Amino acid sequence: MSNSFPASAQVVIIGGGIIGCSVAYHLTKLGWKDVVLLERKSLTCGTTWHAAGLVAQLRATHNMTLLAKYTAELYRGLEEETGQATGFRQAGSLTVASTAERFEELKRSASMGRCFDVDVNVVTPEEAKKMWPLVNIEDIVGAIHIPKDGMCNPIDTTTALAKGAKMGGASIFEDTRVTAVHNNNGRVTGVATDKGEIAADIVVNCAGMWAREVGRMCGVNVPLHAAEHFYIVTEPMEGMTNDLPVMRDLNGHAYYKADAGKLLLGAFEPNAKPWGMDGIPEDFSFDTLPEDWDHFEPVMEKAIHRLPALAEAGVQLFFCGPESFTPDDRYLLGEAPELKNFFVAAGFNSVGIQSGGGVGKVLASWIVDGAPPMDLWDVDIRRMAPFQGNSRYLHDRTIEALGLLYDMHWPFRQFESARGIKRSPLHDRLLAKGACFGENTGWERPNWYAPRGIEPRYEYSFGRQNWFDHNAAEHRAVREQVALFDQTSFAKFLVQGPDAEKVLNRICANDLSVPADRIVYTQWLNERGGIEADLTVTRLDENKYFVVTAFATEYRDYNWLQKNIREDEHAIVTNVTSGYAVISIMGPNSRNLLSGLTNADLSSQAFPFGTSREIELGYALVRATRITFVGELGWELYIPTEFAVAVYDLIVERGHSFGLTHAGYHTLNSCRIEKAYRHWGHDITDEDTPLEAGLGFAVAFDKPGGFIGREALLKMKEAGMKRRLLTFALEDPQPLMYHEEPIYRDGVKVGSTTSGMFGHTIGSSIALGYISHQDGVSKDFIESGNFEIELAAQRIPARASMRCFYDPRHERIKI
């Protein structure tokens, strides 16, 4: 390996923290030798060096937990492999709860951990005190213990990864600043540095809190912002032994770690201090920020209550240093949608050390194989909207984001900061109707409606929240009368050109060779047969199609569509999301309501299910699409934005005679789960196939030319189904399911839930979830077993079915 500065490389990695070194290490493990890592100053000098070094295994989802578990396994063996000590040890972790609500959260996370085969135990306050003798348990109601959680020395661990990378053939250059990222024709071509230029096939942005600026060099949006992170290290304290587990007191916003006979006390306070609004100094390296005892004092007061001995301990170090946070507290990973072969791994929200090994492994695999090795949607950079790179937005959201790491993780919890960004043209009308808005990707969407005299505000709990009865009323209106949903946030694309049908038939699993004004429900698959998108496509004319997909996957799906159009194909994709408002009118009275507003024949004979036509509605021309996500007769109305308010007013005025009720997204969710309609990102992902998900009816195996993923599905079909998505209903009507709860059959864990909601028509909590069985998941296997679902460490009997519990013959949508 030459030490001379290269003129070219297969891969250039920008940033020498734990993440950049892990990516380099794992690329060499996959056989890539021409790997160059560039660090502006010294390895770890940005934020890695001052991390607490906690290596926790349990994360919010299955695949994030797999990455964390792999990280622990990797760090355990790094010293033996490289000869470089890492300081890794597995003393476990203990998380205490001082309220019943927090204990419920911890017990639910313990149950979730069992889905992922994490060794996690619910313990009593007395058992917690045996593990941490100095802790005050007078107000502790319970705790969870994870024996295999660990800790490491971040600098030593990064050094070990860097050494391993160099042993594998990678070159590392410190004191090398990247000044530009070059690209041509939508593809990255290399970088410029203060030592010269490097041509490269692939560039990886692991620049930590500088990653946003590096992205801007080549037009890539990397939304993150630095915030001040505080911890103290005490003088030596009696009882601070190395066998103590890391302790977290989430209600106290603090974590406790024994550190060479001292105590390290760190904070994730509710209102953070953003930093670096005017840019990060060019010479920033191993730097700290000014002390702020006033800001830290509330955490310190709670810590003294939890650990009374702390009151007598001297403080050896008060530390404040920056760490980067993203708008949704999930890191940014993957190939940037704006630039081919430019990858990002940044914005780790204080979990960079515990995520580093797994992130390096999957990103290296993604780079080498050209596709992610597993479902990484939780952290996929394609979930981010362009506006989220706005500096004011990032500043305001970061104030809240840091504290959310230790705040209560309530079901349906909504962000409170940086709100009111993207609004439907109906927003003010819906607000006047009592809408309680939720926010996602900037969209303000009505989740539920408060009756007159009731404040539209969330009161969170793990049980029936304050909107439960209002949701029930909306749900009944959908099933019995008629309801109005504002679904303007749908992502909408026009695909036009002489090759539009050819392109879409290759990308879509279903057949798009249909007459004009027909809707096709379909999936987009990858080569493994996994579901990349779940959407509808309407043929408008011979060379024009209208694609409608979820708001959360707008940029991901747009990117997937564009990159699968070949250079010699004549098809253009246009994002027309902002051009159309969408009002959905759903329920048995929907036909009668709409018929009085249009001269179009809406009868089932003239306007059958799966039809989409442009009709007159009031003074507007509206595309009426007969389809449903709630399982009832209904239409989605695609209205040019400037006509939306007038059309809405007409519908509401006439709707009084038909019992029209405004309904929110919680009702959309409760109705769709009763019908077992799948939701991408929860019930179906790029790891799940249509056959496993029960969507084989939407796959046109015999259409001319085939489609992406066809061969993989045929092999699965031939081998037989060992995994299936089922519907579950609890026998007890009181508990509520949400997601990631273990499923047991005759006492044996066979799977986990993917999404859940209370089904008001069925009268119990309903969930979708996958189960696996080596000999196949048949009707007999389901009906011959007794199923239970574990909630908060308790198993509750449940019914299982391959079919939906509500209207399994789908008769109501076709009336």
Side-chain angles (χ1 to χ4, degrees):
M1 180 180 67
S2 172
N3 288 323
S4 60
F5 197 74
S8 65
Q10 191 173 13
V11 183
V12 169
I13 300 168
I14 304 172
I18 188 82
I19 304 300
C21 290
S22 179
V23 173
Y25 170 89
H26 284 92
L27 282 170
T28 64
K29 290 296 182 184
L30 293 176
W32 285 27
K33 309 296 183 182
D34 191 9
V35 177
V36 171
L37 185 148
L38 306 176
E39 166 52 48
R40 54 184 286 280
K41 295 293 184 180
S42 302
L43 295 184
T44 79
C45 73
T47 61
T48 295
W49 71 275
H50 63 69
L54 310 185
V55 185
Q57 296 182 78
L58 183 57
R59 305 299 300 154
T61 64
H62 179 251
N63 283 350
M64 295 300 101
T65 299
L66 288 180
L67 298 191
K69 289 176 68 176
Y70 169 79
T71 298
E73 295 164 4
L74 173 69
Y75 293 173
R76 187 188 302 114
L78 263 182
E79 182 173 354
E80 182 178 352
E81 177 189 350
T82 65
Q84 167 66 49
T86 62
F88 180 76
R89 54 191 173 88
Q90 286 180 299
S93 70
L94 178 72
T95 304
V96 299
S98 57
T99 64
E101 293 83 1
R102 180 69 77 177
F103 193 34
E104 172 81 3
E105 178 189 348
L106 296 185
K107 288 187 291 184
R108 283 183 176 261
S109 69
S111 292
M112 183 176 68
R114 294 187 184 108
C115 293
F116 315 148
D117 297 321
V118 174
D119 183 10
V120 53
N121 305 301
V122 178
V123 299
T124 65
E126 292 73 23
E127 290 171 322
K129 189 168 181 64
K130 288 180 180 179
M131 298 178 195
W132 253 87
L134 295 180
V135 69
N136 171 20
I137 63 169
E138 66 181 17
D139 58 342
I140 297 297
V141 297
I144 61 170
H145 175 231
I146 303 179
K148 293 185 179 179
D149 277 359
M151 59 189 79
C152 69
N153 183 305
I155 293 178
D156 290 344
T157 303
T158 304
T159 302
L161 288 168
K163 186 174 180 181
K166 288 190 283 188
M167 290 166 59
S171 301
I172 296 177
F173 295 90
E174 297 180 274
D175 296 311
T176 304
R177 184 169 62 89
V178 172
T179 58
V181 177
H182 298 315
N183 60 92
N184 183 47
N185 197 28
R187 181 188 298 266
V188 75
T189 58
V191 300
T193 78
D194 55 5
K195 291 182 178 177
E197 301 212 350
I198 306 176
D201 298 326
I202 293 165
V203 174
V204 189
N205 179 0
C206 301
M209 58 186 173
W210 289 272
R212 179 168 172 257
E213 300 308 316
V214 171
R216 284 185 163 187
M217 292 179 181
C218 52
V220 170
N221 182 36
V222 186
L224 54 79
H225 199 296
E228 299 183 24
H229 179 52
F230 299 86
Y231 62 75
I232 64 166
V233 178
T234 69
E235 298 287 351
M237 286 180 64
E238 187 175 348
M240 289 297 112
T241 58
N242 283 343
D243 60 343
L244 285 176
V246 172
M247 183 173 69
R248 295 177 178 85
D249 179 6
L250 305 181
N251 287 102
H253 317 296
Y255 60 90
Y256 303 74
K257 171 191 170 186
D259 186 9
K262 307 165 189 175
L263 173 69
L264 186 153
L265 168 67
F268 287 103
E269 68 280 10
N271 293 295
K273 295 179 64 179
W275 179 79
M277 284 71 74
D278 298 323
I280 302 169
E282 176 58 35
D283 59 352
F284 194 92
S285 175
F286 297 110
D287 287 299
T288 62
L289 305 179
E291 297 180 1
D292 189 343
W293 272 105
D294 289 341
H295 188 77
F296 190 75
E297 185 177 9
V299 174
M300 189 68 171
E301 289 177 355
K302 292 182 178 181
I304 291 173
H305 167 74
R306 185 62 56 225
L307 210 66
L310 186 59
E312 305 300 324
V315 176
Q316 184 181 84
L317 170 69
F318 184 101
F319 179 85
C320 178
E323 294 192 9
S324 58
F325 290 81
T326 63
D328 59 5
D329 270 343
R330 291 179 277 141
Y331 51 86
L332 306 172
L333 190 67
E335 186 178 18
E338 302 94 337
L339 185 62
K340 187 171 179 57
N341 287 349
F342 184 84
F343 289 80
V344 177
F348 280 85
N349 306 283
S350 290
V351 298
I353 303 300
Q354 71 184 47
S355 303
V359 164
K361 180 181 180 181
V362 296
L363 191 60
S365 178
W366 194 336
I367 291 168
V368 171
D369 297 334
M374 61 200 298
D375 171 31
L376 295 169
W377 172 241
D378 283 337
V379 292
D380 194 322
I381 192 171
R382 291 173 294 176
R383 75 187 186 275
M384 288 293 165
F387 85 88
Q388 291 178 292
N390 176 285
S391 57
R392 180 180 173 187
Y393 166 81
L394 287 169
H395 170 275
D396 293 352
R397 176 56 63 85
T398 298
I399 294 172
E400 180 182 15
L402 180 146
L404 289 180
L405 295 178
Y406 276 20
D407 203 351
M408 286 291 297
H409 299 95
W410 298 113
F412 310 104
R413 193 196 188 285
Q414 303 297 320
F415 284 103
E416 298 175 1
S417 60
R419 293 290 299 267
I421 299 168
K422 298 165 75 172
R423 298 178 179 181
S424 158
L426 308 178
H427 182 89
D428 291 347
R429 294 287 203 277
L430 305 182
L431 185 65
K433 291 290 184 181
C436 183
F437 292 93
E439 182 270 343
N440 196 318
T441 322
W443 277 106
E444 295 289 332
R445 310 195 310 165
N447 280 344
W448 56 278
Y449 288 84
R452 188 179 301 276
I454 295 177
E455 183 181 0
R457 179 178 58 84
Y458 278 94
E459 295 175 9
Y460 297 115
S461 79
F462 283 96
R464 301 184 177 194
Q465 297 185 11
N466 64 312
W467 48 266
F468 184 88
D469 290 339
H470 312 316
N471 167 226
E474 295 172 19
H475 189 111
R476 285 192 297 271
V478 174
R479 295 283 183 244
E480 299 169 8
Q481 295 180 302
V482 62
L484 180 152
F485 296 90
D486 177 14
Q487 295 187 268
T488 298
S489 58
F490 272 148
K492 317 165 195 84
F493 314 138
L494 275 179
V495 183
Q496 304 174 83
D499 290 329
E501 179 183 313
K502 175 184 173 183
V503 167
L504 286 171
N505 254 339
R506 184 178 67 252
I507 296 173
C508 297
N510 214 336
D511 191 353
L512 273 294
S513 301
V514 296
D517 292 340
R518 291 296 297 170
I519 312 160
V520 178
Y521 170 60
T522 188
Q523 287 79 44
W524 294 348
L525 309 181
N526 53 44
E527 294 291 353
R528 304 186 305 272
I531 301 171
E532 292 285 344
D534 180 72
L535 41 77
T536 63
V537 182
T538 300
R539 187 166 205 162
L540 303 181
D541 61 33
E542 182 181 359
N543 296 323
K544 184 186 295 186
Y545 288 86
F546 189 55
V547 177
V548 178
T549 188
F551 77 101
T553 59
E554 176 180 350
Y555 303 101
R556 185 186 198 278
D557 294 349
Y558 185 77
N559 174 250
W560 182 265
L561 185 54
Q562 281 195 314
K563 78 177 186 180
N564 278 290
I565 299 175
R566 296 168 181 166
E567 290 186 4
D568 62 346
E569 291 177 326
H570 299 284
I572 297 173
V573 183
T574 308
N575 189 336
V576 295
T577 298
S578 298
Y580 295 91
V582 182
I583 299 174
S584 293
I585 304 299
M586 296 289 157
N589 288 345
S590 57
R591 177 180 287 121
N592 292 335
L593 191 163
L594 292 175
S595 291
L597 299 174
T598 180
N599 56 10
D601 185 349
L602 301 183
S603 68
S604 193
Q605 293 76 24
F607 209 125
F609 184 78
T611 300
S612 177
R613 293 199 186 110
E614 191 173 80
I615 67 172
E616 294 180 2
L617 205 161
Y619 296 134
L621 291 177
V622 170
R623 176 156 291 276
T625 296
R626 189 174 167 194
I627 199 167
T628 181
F629 199 51
V630 296
E632 302 291 342
L633 172 70
W635 281 262
E636 293 172 356
L637 306 175
Y638 292 82
I639 311 161
T641 302
E642 63 271 28
F643 291 95
V645 172
V647 169
Y648 167 87
D649 287 344
L650 281 172
I651 291 172
V652 170
E653 181 181 4
R654 179 169 168 79
H656 292 301
S657 303
F658 297 92
L660 179 67
T661 297
H662 283 65
Y665 276 84
H666 291 338
T667 295
L668 194 78
N669 197 36
S670 61
C671 288
R672 74 95 182 170
I673 287 184
E674 281 192 334
K675 284 293 294 175
Y677 289 150
R678 283 65 166 150
H679 184 269
W680 196 91
H682 291 95
D683 312 309
I684 47 178
T685 70
D686 59 12
E687 286 190 89
D688 308 309
T689 70
L691 301 183
E692 295 169 316
L695 298 174
F697 66 88
V699 178
F701 281 103
D702 298 329
K703 68 177 177 178
F707 55 90
I708 298 170
R710 178 178 182 271
E711 288 70 26
L713 293 189
L714 287 173
K715 289 179 181 178
M716 174 175 283
K717 196 174 183 181
E718 183 179 348
M721 303 301 300
K722 303 182 186 302
R723 178 175 178 266
R724 285 293 300 267
L725 185 70
L726 304 182
T727 306
F728 298 88
L730 295 182
E731 299 287 5
D732 184 343
Q734 288 305 311
L736 299 179
M737 295 185 286
Y738 297 111
H739 62 89
E740 307 288 9
E741 293 106 353
I743 301 169
Y744 295 85
R745 179 187 180 273
D746 295 340
V748 177
K749 183 166 69 68
V750 291
S752 60
T753 63
T754 53
S755 61
M757 195 76 170
F758 192 86
H760 295 283
T761 312
I762 304 303
S764 69
S765 189
I766 301 175
L768 301 180
Y770 286 95
I771 69 168
S772 301
H773 183 236
Q774 186 60 34
D775 296 327
V777 180
S778 64
K779 183 178 179 182
D780 180 68
F781 177 76
I782 296 167
E783 293 179 350
S784 63
N786 294 312
F787 286 88
E788 296 173 304
I789 295 180
E790 183 178 326
L791 303 177
Q794 291 187 341
R795 297 184 191 178
I796 301 169
R799 291 178 288 150
S801 174
M802 284 187 175
R803 307 175 73 186
C804 59
F805 290 114
Y806 178 77
D807 187 26
R809 296 182 182 275
H810 312 297
E811 295 169 339
R812 295 180 64 84
I813 66 174
K814 299 175 182 177
I815 58 176

